[in-house]
mmCIF file of all heavy atoms in Angstrom:
data_model
loop_
_atom_site.group_PDB
_atom_site.id
_atom_site.type_symbol
_atom_site.label_atom_id
_atom_site.label_comp_id
_atom_site.label_asym_id
_atom_site.label_seq_id
_atom_site.Cartn_x
_atom_site.Cartn_y
_atom_site.Cartn_z
ATOM 1 N N LEU G 232 2.471 20.906 3.181
ATOM 2 C CA LEU G 232 1.872 22.140 3.742
ATOM 3 C C LEU G 232 0.671 21.839 4.638
ATOM 4 O O LEU G 232 0.484 22.521 5.707
ATOM 5 C CB LEU G 232 1.358 23.010 2.553
ATOM 6 C CG LEU G 232 2.467 23.738 1.726
ATOM 7 C CD1 LEU G 232 1.811 24.503 0.539
ATOM 8 C CD2 LEU G 232 3.205 24.777 2.652
ATOM 9 N N ILE G 233 -0.065 20.817 4.283
ATOM 10 C CA ILE G 233 -1.195 20.462 5.117
ATOM 11 C C ILE G 233 -0.714 19.832 6.442
ATOM 12 O O ILE G 233 -1.273 20.084 7.548
ATOM 13 C CB ILE G 233 -2.111 19.448 4.338
ATOM 14 C CG1 ILE G 233 -2.824 20.180 3.270
ATOM 15 C CG2 ILE G 233 -3.115 18.758 5.309
ATOM 16 C CD1 ILE G 233 -3.472 19.294 2.158
ATOM 17 N N ASN G 234 0.318 19.002 6.401
ATOM 18 C CA ASN G 234 0.839 18.416 7.648
ATOM 19 C C ASN G 234 1.457 19.516 8.599
ATOM 20 O O ASN G 234 1.430 19.389 9.786
ATOM 21 C CB ASN G 234 1.833 17.348 7.374
ATOM 22 C CG ASN G 234 1.173 15.955 7.279
ATOM 23 O OD1 ASN G 234 0.138 15.731 7.799
ATOM 24 N ND2 ASN G 234 1.853 15.072 6.584
ATOM 25 N N LYS G 235 1.971 20.570 7.915
ATOM 26 C CA LYS G 235 2.447 21.690 8.789
ATOM 27 C C LYS G 235 1.275 22.389 9.491
ATOM 28 O O LYS G 235 1.508 22.802 10.631
ATOM 29 C CB LYS G 235 3.213 22.737 7.856
ATOM 30 C CG LYS G 235 4.595 22.259 7.417
ATOM 31 C CD LYS G 235 5.246 23.322 6.588
ATOM 32 C CE LYS G 235 6.605 22.859 6.179
ATOM 33 N NZ LYS G 235 7.296 23.951 5.337
ATOM 34 N N GLN G 236 0.174 22.477 8.797
ATOM 35 C CA GLN G 236 -1.001 23.055 9.439
ATOM 36 C C GLN G 236 -1.465 22.193 10.677
ATOM 37 O O GLN G 236 -1.854 22.666 11.693
ATOM 38 C CB GLN G 236 -2.154 23.242 8.507
ATOM 39 C CG GLN G 236 -1.889 24.229 7.367
ATOM 40 C CD GLN G 236 -1.862 25.714 7.890
ATOM 41 O OE1 GLN G 236 -2.336 25.979 8.967
ATOM 42 N NE2 GLN G 236 -1.324 26.563 7.097
ATOM 43 N N ARG G 237 -1.398 20.839 10.429
ATOM 44 C CA ARG G 237 -1.759 19.956 11.494
ATOM 45 C C ARG G 237 -0.777 20.062 12.690
ATOM 46 O O ARG G 237 -1.183 19.976 13.853
ATOM 47 C CB ARG G 237 -1.781 18.463 10.989
ATOM 48 C CG ARG G 237 -2.923 18.301 10.003
ATOM 49 C CD ARG G 237 -2.903 16.859 9.432
ATOM 50 N NE ARG G 237 -3.154 15.817 10.414
ATOM 51 C CZ ARG G 237 -4.357 15.350 10.710
ATOM 52 N NH1 ARG G 237 -5.413 15.820 10.142
ATOM 53 N NH2 ARG G 237 -4.448 14.376 11.612
ATOM 54 N N ALA G 238 0.459 20.219 12.426
ATOM 55 C CA ALA G 238 1.453 20.336 13.428
ATOM 56 C C ALA G 238 1.259 21.497 14.354
ATOM 57 O O ALA G 238 1.597 21.477 15.538
ATOM 58 C CB ALA G 238 2.860 20.337 12.799
ATOM 59 N N THR G 239 0.723 22.591 13.809
ATOM 60 C CA THR G 239 0.506 23.769 14.649
ATOM 61 C C THR G 239 -0.545 23.541 15.731
ATOM 62 O O THR G 239 -0.584 24.238 16.747
ATOM 63 C CB THR G 239 -0.004 24.933 13.785
ATOM 64 O OG1 THR G 239 -1.264 24.605 13.143
ATOM 65 C CG2 THR G 239 1.008 25.336 12.681
ATOM 66 N N LEU G 240 -1.380 22.463 15.557
ATOM 67 C CA LEU G 240 -2.346 22.051 16.534
ATOM 68 C C LEU G 240 -1.985 20.803 17.255
ATOM 69 O O LEU G 240 -2.801 20.210 17.944
ATOM 70 C CB LEU G 240 -3.733 21.954 15.897
ATOM 71 C CG LEU G 240 -4.356 23.194 15.251
ATOM 72 C CD1 LEU G 240 -5.689 22.942 14.619
ATOM 73 C CD2 LEU G 240 -4.488 24.291 16.321
ATOM 74 N N ALA G 241 -0.706 20.463 17.134
ATOM 75 C CA ALA G 241 -0.225 19.226 17.747
ATOM 76 C C ALA G 241 -0.977 17.944 17.350
ATOM 77 O O ALA G 241 -1.038 16.978 18.146
ATOM 78 C CB ALA G 241 -0.211 19.344 19.276
ATOM 79 N N LEU G 242 -1.440 17.945 16.092
ATOM 80 C CA LEU G 242 -2.111 16.770 15.558
ATOM 81 C C LEU G 242 -1.128 15.845 14.931
ATOM 82 O O LEU G 242 -0.086 16.241 14.417
ATOM 83 C CB LEU G 242 -3.158 17.197 14.476
ATOM 84 C CG LEU G 242 -4.383 18.004 14.998
ATOM 85 C CD1 LEU G 242 -5.184 18.527 13.847
ATOM 86 C CD2 LEU G 242 -5.236 17.135 15.897
ATOM 87 N N GLU G 243 -1.390 14.576 14.896
ATOM 88 C CA GLU G 243 -0.557 13.592 14.213
ATOM 89 C C GLU G 243 -0.534 13.916 12.718
ATOM 90 O O GLU G 243 -1.560 14.219 12.120
ATOM 91 C CB GLU G 243 -1.029 12.164 14.459
ATOM 92 C CG GLU G 243 -0.845 11.688 15.842
ATOM 93 C CD GLU G 243 0.668 11.462 16.184
ATOM 94 O OE1 GLU G 243 1.471 11.069 15.281
ATOM 95 O OE2 GLU G 243 1.039 11.782 17.353
ATOM 96 N N PRO G 244 0.647 13.822 12.058
ATOM 97 C CA PRO G 244 0.702 14.038 10.631
ATOM 98 C C PRO G 244 -0.059 12.945 9.900
ATOM 99 O O PRO G 244 -0.116 11.779 10.326
ATOM 100 C CB PRO G 244 2.206 14.009 10.328
ATOM 101 C CG PRO G 244 2.815 13.161 11.401
ATOM 102 C CD PRO G 244 1.998 13.465 12.658
ATOM 103 N N LEU G 245 -0.618 13.289 8.718
ATOM 104 C CA LEU G 245 -1.236 12.323 7.893
ATOM 105 C C LEU G 245 -0.134 11.514 7.257
ATOM 106 O O LEU G 245 0.895 12.009 6.886
ATOM 107 C CB LEU G 245 -2.115 13.037 6.817
ATOM 108 C CG LEU G 245 -3.321 13.809 7.310
ATOM 109 C CD1 LEU G 245 -3.871 14.645 6.210
ATOM 110 C CD2 LEU G 245 -4.401 12.860 7.805
ATOM 111 N N ALA G 246 -0.434 10.237 7.076
ATOM 112 C CA ALA G 246 0.549 9.330 6.394
ATOM 113 C C ALA G 246 0.167 9.341 4.891
ATOM 114 O O ALA G 246 -0.969 9.146 4.507
ATOM 115 C CB ALA G 246 0.440 7.910 6.930
ATOM 116 N N TRP G 247 1.180 9.621 4.029
ATOM 117 C CA TRP G 247 0.942 9.600 2.581
ATOM 118 C C TRP G 247 0.730 8.099 2.125
ATOM 119 O O TRP G 247 1.416 7.194 2.558
ATOM 120 C CB TRP G 247 2.158 10.085 1.873
ATOM 121 C CG TRP G 247 2.073 10.031 0.403
ATOM 122 C CD1 TRP G 247 2.459 8.918 -0.393
ATOM 123 C CD2 TRP G 247 1.507 10.977 -0.498
ATOM 124 N NE1 TRP G 247 2.181 9.188 -1.726
ATOM 125 C CE2 TRP G 247 1.586 10.409 -1.828
ATOM 126 C CE3 TRP G 247 0.971 12.209 -0.310
ATOM 127 C CZ2 TRP G 247 1.149 11.135 -2.936
ATOM 128 C CZ3 TRP G 247 0.508 12.895 -1.458
ATOM 129 C CH2 TRP G 247 0.584 12.327 -2.737
ATOM 130 N N SER G 248 -0.314 7.909 1.333
ATOM 131 C CA SER G 248 -0.671 6.610 0.808
ATOM 132 C C SER G 248 -0.676 6.725 -0.720
ATOM 133 O O SER G 248 -1.369 7.491 -1.285
ATOM 134 C CB SER G 248 -2.063 6.175 1.305
ATOM 135 O OG SER G 248 -2.479 5.057 0.555
ATOM 136 N N ASP G 249 0.189 5.855 -1.347
ATOM 137 C CA ASP G 249 0.210 5.852 -2.816
ATOM 138 C C ASP G 249 -1.102 5.339 -3.358
ATOM 139 O O ASP G 249 -1.595 5.746 -4.419
ATOM 140 C CB ASP G 249 1.352 4.955 -3.332
ATOM 141 C CG ASP G 249 2.713 5.588 -3.127
ATOM 142 O OD1 ASP G 249 2.789 6.850 -3.117
ATOM 143 O OD2 ASP G 249 3.705 4.879 -2.958
ATOM 144 N N GLU G 250 -1.739 4.394 -2.661
ATOM 145 C CA GLU G 250 -3.030 3.877 -3.089
ATOM 146 C C GLU G 250 -4.098 4.958 -3.109
ATOM 147 O O GLU G 250 -4.838 5.129 -4.078
ATOM 148 C CB GLU G 250 -3.444 2.785 -2.117
ATOM 149 C CG GLU G 250 -2.790 1.425 -2.265
ATOM 150 C CD GLU G 250 -3.425 0.394 -1.327
ATOM 151 O OE1 GLU G 250 -3.390 0.635 -0.144
ATOM 152 O OE2 GLU G 250 -3.895 -0.617 -1.852
ATOM 153 N N VAL G 251 -4.171 5.766 -2.059
ATOM 154 C CA VAL G 251 -5.154 6.816 -1.943
ATOM 155 C C VAL G 251 -4.810 7.909 -2.911
ATOM 156 O O VAL G 251 -5.752 8.510 -3.545
ATOM 157 C CB VAL G 251 -5.181 7.342 -0.512
ATOM 158 C CG1 VAL G 251 -6.181 8.590 -0.396
ATOM 159 C CG2 VAL G 251 -5.593 6.267 0.480
ATOM 160 N N ALA G 252 -3.534 8.196 -3.145
ATOM 161 C CA ALA G 252 -3.164 9.229 -4.149
ATOM 162 C C ALA G 252 -3.604 8.886 -5.528
ATOM 163 O O ALA G 252 -3.958 9.736 -6.328
ATOM 164 C CB ALA G 252 -1.653 9.389 -4.077
ATOM 165 N N LYS G 253 -3.636 7.583 -5.867
ATOM 166 C CA LYS G 253 -4.089 7.162 -7.190
ATOM 167 C C LYS G 253 -5.574 7.501 -7.378
ATOM 168 O O LYS G 253 -5.987 7.882 -8.495
ATOM 169 C CB LYS G 253 -3.870 5.606 -7.346
ATOM 170 C CG LYS G 253 -2.375 5.242 -7.513
ATOM 171 C CD LYS G 253 -2.236 3.717 -7.695
ATOM 172 C CE LYS G 253 -0.772 3.385 -7.813
ATOM 173 N NZ LYS G 253 -0.627 1.835 -7.895
ATOM 174 N N ILE G 254 -6.365 7.353 -6.341
ATOM 175 C CA ILE G 254 -7.756 7.684 -6.469
ATOM 176 C C ILE G 254 -7.881 9.177 -6.662
ATOM 177 O O ILE G 254 -8.639 9.624 -7.562
ATOM 178 C CB ILE G 254 -8.510 7.306 -5.078
ATOM 179 C CG1 ILE G 254 -8.345 5.826 -4.788
ATOM 180 C CG2 ILE G 254 -9.973 7.732 -5.151
ATOM 181 C CD1 ILE G 254 -8.878 5.407 -3.409
ATOM 182 N N ALA G 255 -7.123 9.949 -5.876
ATOM 183 C CA ALA G 255 -7.205 11.419 -6.030
ATOM 184 C C ALA G 255 -6.703 11.873 -7.361
ATOM 185 O O ALA G 255 -7.255 12.768 -8.020
ATOM 186 C CB ALA G 255 -6.376 12.076 -4.844
ATOM 187 N N ARG G 256 -5.604 11.255 -7.836
ATOM 188 C CA ARG G 256 -4.958 11.645 -9.075
ATOM 189 C C ARG G 256 -5.878 11.406 -10.297
ATOM 190 O O ARG G 256 -6.023 12.190 -11.209
ATOM 191 C CB ARG G 256 -3.688 10.897 -9.261
ATOM 192 C CG ARG G 256 -2.721 11.478 -10.299
ATOM 193 C CD ARG G 256 -1.413 10.855 -10.281
ATOM 194 N NE ARG G 256 -0.677 11.024 -9.032
ATOM 195 C CZ ARG G 256 -0.212 10.191 -8.213
ATOM 196 N NH1 ARG G 256 -0.327 8.869 -8.527
ATOM 197 N NH2 ARG G 256 0.405 10.488 -7.137
ATOM 198 N N LEU G 257 -6.597 10.244 -10.257
ATOM 199 C CA LEU G 257 -7.450 9.906 -11.377
ATOM 200 C C LEU G 257 -8.547 10.916 -11.473
ATOM 201 O O LEU G 257 -8.889 11.389 -12.597
ATOM 202 C CB LEU G 257 -8.050 8.543 -11.168
ATOM 203 C CG LEU G 257 -9.120 8.120 -12.157
ATOM 204 C CD1 LEU G 257 -8.575 7.949 -13.543
ATOM 205 C CD2 LEU G 257 -9.822 6.851 -11.727
#
């Protein structure tokens, strides 16, 4: 959903990172 919002402004999509997700998930 967030990458769809970025696409509306022609921004590059964010790349999903499992490493970063672990920080967020904890």
Side-chain angles (χ1 to χ4, degrees):
L232 288 174
I233 290 165
N234 269 337
K235 285 182 179 179
Q236 294 290 342
R237 292 175 66 88
T239 61
L240 296 178
L242 294 170
E243 289 293 323
L245 294 168
W247 175 271
S248 169
D249 287 333
E250 284 184 302
V251 177
K253 288 179 181 178
I254 301 171
R256 194 173 295 126
L257 173 66

